[in-house]
Amino acid sequence: MSQEPATAPVPDRQPLDEHGAAAVRAYAADQRAKVDVLASVLEDIAARGYPAAESGVLWEDARDAHLERLAGEQSRVA
């Protein structure tokens, strides 16, 4: 993907309003940041090898902790 904005209008496209375009740009920036994090992890693995299994977190523990965070964030209805 290019980080350069399109310079000429493309036929057969429906233009976005200002708010919609800003939302799409924000989403793109968020996704780019996530990909950058993944790329840095992969580069670290390539340079230094896989981390030791003892230093990791079991997927079950990570899942349970994530589910607890999600449950804490849910809005409650009275």
Side-chain angles (χ1 to χ4, degrees):
M1 282 178 40
S2 172
Q3 293 185 13
E4 297 292 322
T7 55
V10 178
D12 299 329
R13 291 212 182 179
Q14 180 180 357
L16 297 175
D17 63 12
E18 191 174 315
H19 178 71
V24 170
R25 286 187 191 101
Y27 180 75
D30 180 58
Q31 294 302 306
R32 188 171 289 120
K34 290 178 183 178
V35 171
D36 287 344
V37 169
L38 174 60
S40 68
V41 169
L42 294 175
E43 288 169 352
D44 180 68
I45 291 171
R48 297 179 184 86
Y50 289 110
E54 298 80 29
S55 67
V57 175
L58 294 175
W59 74 269
E60 294 94 343
D61 295 339
R63 177 201 60 206
D64 293 344
H66 183 66
L67 291 174
E68 286 178 21
R69 279 193 304 274
L70 290 175
E73 292 174 4
Q74 279 187 333
S75 59
R76 304 284 188 240
V77 177

